[in-house]
Amino acid sequence: MNTHRNEKIFRLRFGTPFRTPAVVIDQWNSTEAFTQNNIIEIEETDNQIRLELALRNEQIVLGLGEQLGALNKRGRRYRAWCVDEPHHNPDKDALYSSHPVLFISGEPCIGLFIDYPSEMDFDIGFTQHDRIRITIPSGSADIYLWQADSLRESSREYLRLTGSSYVPPRWAFGYHQSRWSYPNDASVRAIVDKFEEHGIPLDTIHVDIDYMDGYRVFTIDEKRFPNVKKLAGDLLEKGVRLVSIIDPGVKIDPDYSVYREGIADKHFCTDDDGHPYRLAVWPGWTHLPNFLSSKTRTWWSSHVKRLTERGFAGVWNDMNEPAMFFTDHSLKRIEDAVVKLEDKDGLQPWDIFNLRWACEDIQNYRENFKTMSQHTDAGELVNHWDVHNLYGYGMTMATSQAFEDDKQRRFIFSRSSYSGMHRISGLWTGDNSSRWEHLILQMRMIQNLNLCGFLFCGADVGGFNDHVSPELLVRWTQLGALTPFFRNHSAAGTRDQEPWQFGETILSAVREAIRIRYALMPYIYSEFLKAANKGIPLIRPLAYQYEQPALSEFEDQYFIGDSLMAAPVHQPNARGRYVYLPEERWLMLRMKRWDDYQTEILPAGHHYVKADLNEMLLFIPENRLLILTEPGNSTDSVSGRYVVLGLVAEETELELWEDDGFQRSIRREDCNISRFHVEPSGRRVEGHSKNREVCFNILEPGRK
Amino acid sequence: MNTHRNEKIFRLRFGTPFRTPAVVIDQWNSTEAFTQNNIIEIEETDNQIRLELALRNEQIVLGLGEQLGALNKRGRRYRAWCVDEPHHNPDKDALYSSHPVLFISGEPCIGLFIDYPSEMDFDIGFTQHDRIRITIPSGSADIYLWQADSLRESSREYLRLTGSSYVPPRWAFGYHQSRWSYPNDASVRAIVDKFEEHGIPLDTIHVDIDYMDGYRVFTIDEKRFPNVKKLAGDLLEKGVRLVSIIDPGVKIDPDYSVYREGIADKHFCTDDDGHPYRLAVWPGWTHLPNFLSSKTRTWWSSHVKRLTERGFAGVWNDMNEPAMFFTDHSLKRIEDAVVKLEDKDGLQPWDIFNLRWACEDIQNYRENFKTMSQHTDAGELVNHWDVHNLYGYGMTMATSQAFEDDKQRRFIFSRSSYSGMHRISGLWTGDNSSRWEHLILQMRMIQNLNLCGFLFCGADVGGFNDHVSPELLVRWTQLGALTPFFRNHSAAGTRDQEPWQFGETILSAVREAIRIRYALMPYIYSEFLKAANKGIPLIRPLAYQYEQPALSEFEDQYFIGDSLMAAPVHQPNARGRYVYLPEERWLMLRMKRWDDYQTEILPAGHHYVKADLNEMLLFIPENRLLILTEPGNSTDSVSGRYVVLGLVAEETELELWEDDGFQRSIRREDCNISRFHVEPSGRRVEGHSKNREVCFNILEPGRK
């Protein structure tokens, strides 16, 4: 075991860990041991490292990024394991991504990142209420540990360690409409027309797997999409971009050039005999690119580049945990379980249960991942199991590489990820369902994802699986309007859930929520640029913002930047909700439309606030400023004046950062900075913007 | 269509409905049509009846008894279909019971009961936000409709129509410990000893399916339970009763007398050829008794009687939807889906998905139920599908019949039920999971179940499936202590969840919650007797109690009788919760132990109240009285004085109803009535009990 120190962060190296791209610092100065003060117990046994920490009653644990369970991870067991898990039921312990970092409150706060890209067990006060127990079933791992004065500082340290956020182009902050699948050119155009017809802003439309020719990655079905470039050009005139899904599995088909190239240049993961590993996903039998190889990533990136040049403005990486429907290996599990139905008389309940479980288990069967190998640039052959959680990251590195010479930022988001991938891509939380329970789940996830550096994230608005109800779509759109990535998406076979599918009342409520998002766009985009620039989260739990761990209990409220607290309604049939206001005074906006709202001044404490189905709540703490602007049809067409809002008792300032929406640099000096300054005495207000007229709508406590 | 009227309730008869035992009134006087005022649209087409009602924005819908979704059923789709559904995930639309009654708020409130014992669809504002659409896929049904001034009156009407509640013996209100399975005599004794050792009250211990000889119903495995009578006697000396599970499936085994009797006397449901219908459940292949036949019910009841005479104090009817693991018919579904694994190269994703779905679907396969027949006393052969939802009710009728000549009330509870069964049995909500989400689900269910007459109900405390966390067990026990049926139960293969399995802190919190339940026992039992006597719910939603439909939003609070409002903590890591207090002033008890609590006087409105993990909250509205008593080891050994508590501003009285705990009559004149009377001026208190010393602990508003 070697211990190295860099500033506040200690690295404990066990064995010879696989070198992941997670960490951006590689200077470790000190050898002082973190373990000497008894904060953590580390036990090394044969091929296993076990970490234990005591938890006092009041301690909370944030982190783990995309995971189930509450915002405070205490009281559950989690698994670090990227998996295509489509139901997000509470009995699951892993989703698509692995972000093995914990932020433990206390004096001092403890930060802990385990850079180990395979399966691990996190028992956070589950087996024992007062104990964290982490089991790494390997003798090799890098463990990073740090102390901090606050959760805020602890997350900051982690982002120093792993780097700051990817920044998408500005249009990616607009509203996205998606569907599995808009099947052809005409259907895409028809959807865009409907947005226009109903006056709903739209920036992006996504095409799901059916745009491909028989699910062959990097192909386009020419019958259904005869001219994507023309389609994309026509849409762009309306300010709408086209984004395409990309899956990693390459169909085994000798008539398919991508397959032939992959075989010829040995780009595929291999089986025990060194042959390309075979697994079934949507195209049927496929091979998986070995993204550990830089040669393969370059090959893949050239295809991504070529595909996007055909008209796609962004790339959506899916199925990259990787998902495996079945393999030759896992089919054996079914073969063994298939019952002899000729002798029905002798059939026992367990015979059928076993078959059922074999079938349930075959999709993404864990043992598959041990039968696949990948080689590294150094020529080393690695068992996929040992690097499993890096697969989506590798695919996304290849995607990112396609655009690295571009002058413009590109839109990339992925389903699977590992710590550090936040530097190159956004993320969505995968195949959720049209359930009220998934609204609160989304809020918990985006907060922990942001602490882990994934600033650009969001969940499928309206829910992917199952049928959405009209009310659920409204409330989810209102929530989505206050998340970085705002996309309505749904699965094949479910009820259509575009805004106009549920009658005029619902359409109107959904449209106004989307328009409020566009009214908030300058603020959200500016706060995003600032957060990415500083290496801090955009979406912030109350426990983070106020450095009070106990506030993690109020997990259905969060900050977006410094001036805006979201507290969306997320219960069925509710006409309001509880909210906790930690500061002395707040300005609440109850918005029916971006320019039609009631204001209310609320004191600190607990409140029940009303919000009808067509009303969105925004909370602005005293002495902070929010900006609204008239929404356009897309981020390209926003043009109205800026309205600066706030409840101001002392000198208050807001900086608004702007750029052209694409430029690579997000340094302060390369951005367009507008400063809005308000003094309560005499109501002096100041502020200008290069681009817009500015007006102020400032309240003072005690005045009407 | 014939329309008959009785008092406020209209009956609309379509076709020739199957006569269910749901309704107790059979005089219908008037022919005035309910539909004439346009409240409801009824459309009769070929073999289908469709009902539609408009919903205004502010209207709420209670009812449907045991169902998923919120307390207010609006915004979802439900199916009336009894099914063994073990996961209770939010995408399901049916559970074990069918209670097809709706209480719709408005002026007037509308009540609607569809006496139809097969599958129906309830679309309550799901497809259209402002519309209820009920589809009965049959030409024959009795539809009962009524108008009422309030939800309270509407539920009252329904209970006039279907009769008032079953009353279990008093000991059934104590704490029950269960497990799938305590495997033998020694393990049962050891568990009871542990309760004694840890000072935890206990009234009942349950033995699950493994007590039987190879799952043969009405047998006892003599190796594992050599002398149940002795065991039961020994336990009873400690105040503990033994309860046994009973499943309906009779194992096909020529050496088994119950099977031989069933065959000889034609007690079984039949297939299309008139042979006994064969299905597999725990024992392997079985036949199902035809409970539509009174002869079969009598036969079954004689076996129940004999079994209980061997030492069991109560009967737990399980698997009576009926559950079907598979049948010859449904195995075909697998046969058709089984893939040809010899030709793996040609395998497509859908081949495996289809097999998986076939296996998932085979358990309780809907189509099975169309291939089974039952005959009635009238000699009519009925397709089981058409009377499916009556199966559990029939089994429970047979069980109840076993004890109808007893002088004492008996303890019976069932998994499956249909409207009306509340007259003869309690109910538990089946195989939930150790999930926080199931705490709120339990609260929603017991409220709607009570409105539907099922006063004696509860959920498995700690959760049946999955592993419980220490904190979840504490919070669930605190909730369970405020539900009528209070049983800790868990599935084979899950973590042990008896109170002492999680260390001293958790044990102590669980023990004190159980002791608080015993301290509340006189009050809860008395309020139960009164509610059953009056034909009203014991557990009451705020919307019912205060006749304000909008209060259905606060679904995690409910009344138990008139003096006590429950508002348990049901979120992980929470140290308090929000509560809405509708009346002017309240007395809140924050209890660490039954005799160690803080009192707080709270005004009307919304509050956040603290509650540490070891604290339970009780809310008593002003001018109502609650009674506590020192908890004993079981309901048999309670003996301390009565402490009368309340916040009293005007003359206030509480009647306490008591009986011997077993007697059949619950008429007021046959009970022992104590009256506690408090006047604030001069603090005059009055009250006596035949059995106990009484002391008063009365607060007055404004005084300390």
Side-chain angles (χ1 to χ4, degrees):
Chain A
M1 184 180 101
N2 298 310
T3 308
H4 295 284
R5 189 185 189 195
N6 181 294
E7 312 224 343
K8 289 187 175 168
I9 302 176
F10 295 79
R11 185 181 79 186
L12 287 79
R13 170 157 288 183
F14 294 85
T16 50
F18 185 86
R19 199 188 156 90
T20 81
V23 165
V24 292
I25 293 171
D26 60 0
Q27 300 292 320
W28 307 98
N29 309 318
S30 158
T31 56
E32 191 187 332
F34 192 87
T35 50
Q36 281 166 3
N37 54 11
N38 287 325
I39 289 174
I40 191 163
E41 295 163 34
I42 301 186
E43 192 188 294
E44 233 182 317
T45 59
D46 287 358
N47 290 317
Q48 179 176 300
I49 306 163
R50 174 171 279 189
L51 283 71
E52 299 215 11
L53 291 92
L55 281 175
R56 290 186 311 282
N57 191 39
E58 74 284 3
Q59 282 183 294
I60 69 150
V61 183
L62 302 180
L64 291 182
E66 184 185 85
Q67 260 294 4
L68 293 160
L71 175 67
N72 175 1
K73 308 319 283 180
R74 190 167 176 173
R76 266 186 76 115
R77 202 161 174 165
Y78 308 88
R79 207 157 44 97
W81 186 253
C82 299
V83 60
D84 171 21
E85 205 304 298
H87 298 296
H88 304 194
N89 285 324
D91 58 329
K92 299 297 173 185
D93 55 7
L95 292 175
Y96 312 88
S97 291
S98 169
H99 309 128
V101 53
L102 299 181
F103 306 106
I104 305 160
S105 74
E107 290 174 356
C109 293
I110 304 296
L112 172 65
F113 169 54
I114 303 173
D115 192 7
Y116 174 74
S118 188
E119 193 178 47
M120 280 181 283
D121 179 71
F122 287 80
D123 181 333
I124 318 279
F126 173 76
T127 300
Q128 282 178 261
H129 192 55
D130 54 1
R131 213 149 182 84
I132 293 179
R133 184 180 296 154
I134 302 167
T135 309
I136 310 167
S138 165
S140 293
D142 277 334
I143 298 172
Y144 297 88
L145 289 157
W146 58 95
Q147 300 187 20
D149 291 338
S150 65
L151 290 168
R152 182 188 281 265
E153 214 22 70
S154 192
S155 159
R156 186 84 192 82
E157 287 301 329
Y158 174 69
L159 295 188
R160 283 201 188 100
L161 183 68
T162 57
S164 63
S165 174
Y166 161 77
V167 184
R170 188 177 55 212
W171 58 264
F173 290 85
Y175 178 79
H176 301 246
Q177 184 63 51
S178 185
R179 172 86 206 180
W180 174 24
S181 290
Y182 296 127
N184 53 38
D185 186 295
S187 66
V188 169
R189 289 175 191 272
I191 291 292
V192 173
D193 288 348
K194 278 278 194 188
F195 275 87
E196 210 169 12
E197 181 189 321
H198 292 299
I200 308 167
L202 176 71
D203 262 87
T204 313
I205 189 157
H206 293 237
V207 289
D208 207 317
I209 53 175
D210 297 297
Y211 80 87
M212 291 182 266
D213 174 15
Y215 307 129
R216 287 169 188 83
V217 60
F218 303 126
T219 67
I220 295 171
D221 185 320
E222 306 289 344
K223 282 199 197 99
R224 290 187 284 122
F225 290 93
N227 191 340
V228 173
K229 198 146 205 161
K230 171 92 170 60
L231 173 63
D234 293 348
L235 297 186
L236 197 57
E237 280 180 24
K238 302 180 177 196
V240 177
R241 269 88 176 176
L242 201 59
V243 164
S244 66
I245 198 168
I246 295 184
D247 287 355
V250 175
K251 187 177 175 71
I252 299 176
D253 174 2
D255 295 329
Y256 167 40
S257 64
V258 178
Y259 165 76
R260 288 198 309 269
E261 292 166 19
I263 292 289
D265 294 330
K266 298 193 189 307
H267 288 309
F268 296 127
C269 299
T270 52
D271 63 19
D272 291 343
D273 300 324
H275 301 125
Y277 189 85
R278 177 168 103 142
L279 72 151
V281 273
W282 293 118
W285 290 108
T286 65
H287 297 316
L288 282 175
N290 167 35
F291 292 117
L292 284 189
S293 152
S294 58
K295 199 181 80 177
T296 299
R297 290 199 300 272
T298 300
W299 168 66
W300 191 262
S301 74
S302 70
H303 280 291
V304 171
K305 185 95 186 152
R306 242 167 301 169
L307 181 70
T308 50
E309 282 166 358
R310 295 181 69 180
F312 298 109
V315 172
W316 160 19
N317 281 342
D318 197 7
M319 299 287 280
N320 53 355
E321 295 72 29
M324 289 189 181
F325 292 164
F326 52 87
T327 67
D328 289 286
H329 180 78
S330 67
L331 286 173
K332 289 213 185 79
R333 189 146 156 59
I334 292 191
E335 274 177 314
D336 295 345
V338 163
V339 286
K340 300 284 171 291
L341 291 174
E342 300 78 42
D343 176 25
K344 291 205 186 86
D345 290 352
L347 215 55
Q348 288 301 311
W350 297 108
D351 298 329
I352 294 293
F353 295 165
N354 286 334
L355 175 60
R356 178 182 168 163
W357 292 330
C359 293
E360 285 178 6
D361 206 22
I362 192 175
Q363 227 167 312
N364 309 306
Y365 183 48
R366 282 171 81 251
E367 299 301 316
N368 279 342
F369 297 100
K370 293 178 179 160
T371 64
M372 188 166 87
S373 291
Q374 297 188 243
H375 60 271
T376 65
D377 282 348
E380 197 191 350
L381 201 65
V382 184
N383 190 309
H384 171 79
W385 177 274
D386 295 326
V387 293
H388 172 76
N389 293 342
L390 291 177
Y391 196 82
Y393 194 165
M395 180 184 179
T396 304
M397 282 169 73
T399 309
S400 180
Q401 190 181 325
F403 311 120
E404 67 189 358
D405 297 328
D406 287 13
K407 288 201 177 132
Q408 296 191 341
R409 303 195 301 263
R410 283 295 191 143
F411 181 45
I412 304 172
F413 71 106
S414 172
R415 193 168 74 182
S416 186
S417 67
Y418 179 74
S419 293
M421 201 194 84
H422 65 271
R423 298 191 302 272
I424 59 168
S425 168
L427 167 163
W428 103 107
T429 56
D431 298 345
N432 61 6
S433 297
S434 298
R435 301 179 180 177
W436 287 95
E437 291 79 356
H438 285 182
L439 270 74
I440 180 73
L441 181 61
Q442 167 169 11
M443 285 188 262
R444 295 159 171 168
M445 279 191 193
I446 61 168
Q447 292 177 71
N448 272 318
L449 278 165
N450 264 259
L451 294 182
C452 298
F454 286 86
L455 270 55
F456 194 80
C457 60
D460 285 344
V461 166
F464 179 73
N465 291 302
D466 302 340
H467 305 295
V468 74
S469 78
E471 188 196 3
L472 179 58
L473 181 70
V474 172
R475 292 304 194 189
W476 210 326
T477 307
Q478 292 169 348
L479 164 58
L482 301 177
T483 63
F485 183 22
F486 181 25
R487 180 177 78 147
N488 175 320
H489 181 49
S490 57
T494 64
R495 185 179 192 184
D496 288 332
Q497 65 183 35
E498 292 85 8
W500 52 83
Q501 303 286 2
F502 308 87
E504 190 51 47
T505 311
I506 302 300
L507 166 60
S508 166
V510 170
R511 174 177 45 224
E512 297 313 324
I514 297 172
R515 286 169 57 84
I516 289 167
R517 161 58 166 246
Y518 278 79
L520 286 167
M521 192 72 75
Y523 169 78
I524 291 177
Y525 184 64
S526 166
E527 292 295 306
F528 191 100
L529 291 179
K530 289 186 218 170
N533 179 284
K534 289 189 206 159
I536 60 170
L538 170 72
I539 300 295
R540 302 167 197 159
L542 297 193
Y544 170 103
Q545 188 75 355
Y546 294 103
E547 301 188 359
Q548 292 177 46
L551 296 187
S552 64
E553 195 170 319
F554 306 102
E555 57 181 13
D556 60 354
Q557 306 173 212
Y558 57 84
F559 271 78
I560 308 167
D562 262 330
S563 298
L564 176 60
M565 188 178 75
V569 173
H570 57 91
Q571 300 285 356
N573 299 307
R575 293 294 174 265
R577 55 158 289 164
Y578 286 108
V579 66
Y580 176 60
L581 302 181
E583 293 183 58
E584 207 177 323
R585 265 185 298 268
W586 295 68
L587 178 61
M588 184 183 80
L589 312 183
R590 184 181 288 111
M591 308 186 95
K592 281 201 201 314
R593 296 162 44 103
W594 85 275
D595 56 355
D596 175 11
Y597 52 84
Q598 300 172 327
T599 56
E600 221 171 291
I601 297 177
L602 293 173
H606 298 282
H607 299 268
Y608 179 87
V609 288
K610 290 192 175 176
D612 261 336
L613 187 55
N614 63 345
E615 290 176 333
M616 262 181 84
L617 302 170
L618 301 184
F619 295 86
I620 311 166
E622 188 177 37
N623 300 323
R624 266 166 276 175
L625 301 176
L626 185 71
I627 289 178
L628 294 174
T629 190
E630 184 175 356
N633 296 328
S634 79
T635 50
D636 287 350
S637 65
V638 177
S639 62
R641 62 188 180 174
Y642 286 140
V643 182
V644 181
L645 282 137
L647 173 68
V648 174
E650 58 188 46
E651 212 175 315
T652 298
E653 193 168 89
L654 176 74
E655 266 194 9
L656 189 74
W657 292 29
E658 293 172 288
D659 65 6
D660 65 6
F662 299 98
Q663 69 189 30
R664 285 275 182 188
S665 166
I666 57 154
R667 290 182 311 180
R668 192 173 182 283
E669 55 268 37
D670 296 324
C671 291
N672 216 330
I673 310 289
S674 307
R675 255 196 229 94
F676 304 99
H677 185 93
V678 176
E679 278 175 39
S681 48
R683 305 186 62 112
R684 196 165 70 87
V685 296
E686 239 177 34
H688 65 279
S689 158
K690 272 192 192 166
N691 313 308
R692 314 282 192 95
E693 210 186 313
V694 179
C695 82
F696 288 84
N697 185 359
I698 303 298
L699 279 78
E700 284 183 65
R703 298 201 190 190
K704 285 276 164 184
Chain B
M1 186 179 99
N2 299 310
T3 307
H4 296 284
R5 190 185 189 193
N6 182 293
E7 311 223 343
K8 288 187 177 170
I9 302 176
F10 296 79
R11 185 181 80 185
L12 287 79
R13 170 159 288 182
F14 294 84
T16 51
F18 187 86
R19 199 188 157 90
T20 82
V23 165
V24 293
I25 293 172
D26 61 359
Q27 299 293 318
W28 308 98
N29 310 317
S30 157
T31 55
E32 190 188 332
F34 193 87
T35 50
Q36 280 167 2
N37 54 12
N38 287 325
I39 289 172
I40 191 163
E41 295 163 34
I42 302 186
E43 192 188 295
E44 233 183 315
T45 59
D46 286 359
N47 290 315
Q48 179 177 300
I49 306 163
R50 175 171 280 188
L51 284 69
E52 298 215 12
L53 291 92
L55 282 175
R56 291 186 310 280
N57 191 38
E58 74 285 3
Q59 281 184 293
I60 69 152
V61 183
L62 301 179
L64 291 182
E66 184 185 84
Q67 259 294 4
L68 292 159
L71 174 67
N72 177 0
K73 309 319 283 180
R74 189 167 176 173
R76 265 185 77 114
R77 203 161 173 165
Y78 309 89
R79 206 157 44 98
W81 186 253
C82 299
V83 60
D84 171 21
E85 205 305 299
H87 298 296
H88 303 195
N89 285 324
D91 57 331
K92 299 296 174 187
D93 56 7
L95 292 174
Y96 312 89
S97 290
S98 170
H99 308 128
V101 53
L102 299 181
F103 306 107
I104 305 160
S105 74
E107 289 173 358
C109 294
I110 305 295
L112 171 64
F113 169 54
I114 303 173
D115 192 7
Y116 174 74
S118 189
E119 193 177 47
M120 278 182 282
D121 179 71
F122 286 80
D123 181 336
I124 318 278
F126 173 75
T127 300
Q128 281 178 260
H129 193 56
D130 55 1
R131 212 148 182 85
I132 294 179
R133 183 179 296 153
I134 303 167
T135 310
I136 310 167
S138 166
S140 292
D142 277 333
I143 299 172
Y144 297 88
L145 288 157
W146 58 96
Q147 299 187 20
D149 291 338
S150 64
L151 290 167
R152 182 188 281 266
E153 213 24 67
S154 191
S155 160
R156 187 83 192 82
E157 286 303 328
Y158 175 69
L159 295 187
R160 283 201 188 99
L161 183 68
T162 57
S164 62
S165 175
Y166 161 76
V167 184
R170 188 177 55 213
W171 58 264
F173 290 85
Y175 178 80
H176 301 247
Q177 183 63 51
S178 185
R179 172 88 207 178
W180 174 23
S181 290
Y182 296 127
N184 54 36
D185 186 294
S187 66
V188 170
R189 290 175 191 271
I191 291 291
V192 173
D193 288 347
K194 278 278 193 188
F195 274 88
E196 210 168 12
E197 179 189 330
H198 292 299
I200 309 166
L202 176 71
D203 262 87
T204 313
I205 189 157
H206 293 236
V207 289
D208 207 317
I209 52 174
D210 298 297
Y211 81 86
M212 290 181 267
D213 175 13
Y215 306 130
R216 286 170 188 82
V217 60
F218 303 125
T219 68
I220 294 171
D221 184 321
E222 306 288 344
K223 283 198 196 98
R224 290 187 283 123
F225 289 93
N227 191 340
V228 173
K229 198 145 206 161
K230 170 93 170 62
L231 173 65
D234 293 348
L235 296 186
L236 198 55
E237 280 181 24
K238 302 179 175 194
V240 177
R241 270 89 177 175
L242 201 58
V243 164
S244 65
I245 199 168
I246 296 183
D247 287 355
V250 175
K251 186 177 175 72
I252 299 177
D253 174 2
D255 296 330
Y256 166 41
S257 63
V258 179
Y259 165 76
R260 288 198 310 269
E261 292 166 17
I263 293 290
D265 294 331
K266 299 193 188 308
H267 288 309
F268 297 126
C269 299
T270 52
D271 62 21
D272 290 343
D273 300 325
H275 301 124
Y277 189 85
R278 174 169 107 142
L279 73 152
V281 273
W282 294 117
W285 288 107
T286 65
H287 297 317
L288 282 174
N290 168 33
F291 292 117
L292 284 189
S293 151
S294 58
K295 198 180 82 176
T296 300
R297 290 199 299 272
T298 300
W299 168 66
W300 191 261
S301 74
S302 70
H303 279 291
V304 171
K305 185 94 186 152
R306 242 166 299 168
L307 181 71
T308 50
E309 282 166 358
R310 294 181 69 180
F312 297 110
V315 172
W316 161 18
N317 281 343
D318 197 7
M319 299 286 280
N320 52 355
E321 295 72 28
M324 290 190 182
F325 293 164
F326 52 86
T327 68
D328 288 286
H329 180 78
S330 67
L331 286 173
K332 289 212 185 80
R333 191 147 154 58
I334 292 190
E335 273 177 315
D336 294 344
V338 162
V339 286
K340 300 285 171 291
L341 292 174
E342 301 77 44
D343 175 26
K344 291 205 185 86
D345 290 351
L347 215 54
Q348 289 299 312
W350 297 108
D351 298 330
I352 293 295
F353 296 165
N354 286 333
L355 175 59
R356 178 182 167 163
W357 292 329
C359 292
E360 285 178 7
D361 207 23
I362 193 174
Q363 228 167 313
N364 309 306
Y365 184 49
R366 281 171 81 250
E367 300 300 316
N368 279 341
F369 298 99
K370 292 179 180 161
T371 64
M372 189 167 86
S373 292
Q374 297 189 244
H375 61 271
T376 65
D377 283 347
E380 197 190 350
L381 201 65
V382 184
N383 189 310
H384 170 79
W385 177 274
D386 296 326
V387 293
H388 172 75
N389 293 342
L390 290 177
Y391 195 82
Y393 193 165
M395 180 184 179
T396 304
M397 282 170 72
T399 310
S400 178
Q401 190 182 326
F403 311 120
E404 67 189 358
D405 297 329
D406 288 14
K407 288 202 176 133
Q408 297 192 339
R409 303 195 302 263
R410 283 295 189 143
F411 181 46
I412 306 172
F413 72 106
S414 172
R415 195 167 73 181
S416 186
S417 68
Y418 180 74
S419 293
M421 202 194 84
H422 64 272
R423 300 192 301 271
I424 59 167
S425 168
L427 168 163
W428 102 108
T429 55
D431 298 344
N432 60 7
S433 297
S434 298
R435 300 178 180 178
W436 287 94
E437 290 80 355
H438 285 182
L439 269 75
I440 180 72
L441 181 61
Q442 167 169 11
M443 285 188 262
R444 295 158 170 169
M445 279 191 193
I446 61 169
Q447 292 176 71
N448 272 319
L449 278 165
N450 264 258
L451 294 181
C452 298
F454 286 86
L455 271 54
F456 193 79
C457 60
D460 285 344
V461 166
F464 179 72
N465 291 302
D466 303 340
H467 305 295
V468 75
S469 78
E471 189 195 3
L472 179 57
L473 181 70
V474 172
R475 292 303 193 190
W476 211 326
T477 307
Q478 291 170 347
L479 164 57
L482 301 177
T483 64
F485 182 23
F486 181 25
R487 180 177 79 147
N488 176 321
H489 181 50
S490 57
T494 64
R495 185 178 191 183
D496 287 332
Q497 67 184 33
E498 292 86 7
W500 52 84
Q501 304 285 4
F502 308 87
E504 189 51 46
T505 310
I506 302 300
L507 166 60
S508 165
V510 170
R511 174 178 43 224
E512 297 313 324
I514 297 172
R515 286 169 57 85
I516 289 167
R517 160 58 166 246
Y518 278 78
L520 286 166
M521 192 72 75
Y523 169 78
I524 291 177
Y525 184 64
S526 166
E527 292 294 306
F528 191 100
L529 291 179
K530 288 187 218 171
N533 179 285
K534 288 188 206 160
I536 61 169
L538 171 71
I539 300 294
R540 302 167 197 160
L542 297 193
Y544 170 102
Q545 189 75 355
Y546 293 104
E547 301 187 359
Q548 292 177 46
L551 296 187
S552 64
E553 194 170 320
F554 306 102
E555 57 181 14
D556 59 354
Q557 306 173 213
Y558 57 84
F559 271 79
I560 308 168
D562 262 330
S563 299
L564 177 60
M565 188 179 74
V569 174
H570 57 91
Q571 299 286 356
N573 299 306
R575 293 295 172 263
R577 57 158 288 165
Y578 287 108
V579 66
Y580 176 60
L581 303 181
E583 292 182 58
E584 207 178 324
R585 266 187 297 268
W586 295 68
L587 179 62
M588 184 183 80
L589 312 183
R590 184 183 287 111
M591 308 186 95
K592 281 199 200 317
R593 296 162 43 102
W594 86 275
D595 56 355
D596 174 11
Y597 52 84
Q598 300 171 327
T599 55
E600 223 171 289
I601 298 176
L602 293 173
H606 298 283
H607 300 267
Y608 180 85
V609 289
K610 291 192 174 174
D612 261 335
L613 187 55
N614 62 346
E615 290 175 335
M616 262 181 85
L617 302 170
L618 301 184
F619 295 86
I620 311 165
E622 187 176 38
N623 300 323
R624 267 166 274 175
L625 301 177
L626 186 70
I627 288 178
L628 294 173
T629 189
E630 183 174 0
N633 297 329
S634 80
T635 49
D636 286 351
S637 63
V638 178
S639 62
R641 62 186 180 177
Y642 287 140
V643 183
V644 181
L645 282 137
L647 173 68
V648 174
E650 58 188 48
E651 213 175 314
T652 298
E653 193 168 271
L654 176 75
E655 265 195 8
L656 189 74
W657 291 29
E658 294 173 287
D659 65 6
D660 65 5
F662 299 99
Q663 70 188 30
R664 285 275 181 188
S665 166
I666 57 155
R667 290 182 311 180
R668 190 173 184 283
E669 55 268 36
D670 294 325
C671 291
N672 215 330
I673 310 288
S674 308
R675 254 197 228 94
F676 305 99
H677 185 93
V678 177
E679 279 174 39
S681 48
R683 303 186 63 109
R684 196 164 71 86
V685 295
E686 237 178 35
H688 66 278
S689 157
K690 274 193 191 166
N691 313 309
R692 315 280 193 95
E693 210 185 315
V694 179
C695 81
F696 287 83
N697 185 1
I698 302 299
L699 279 78
E700 284 182 65
R703 297 203 193 188
K704 286 276 166 185

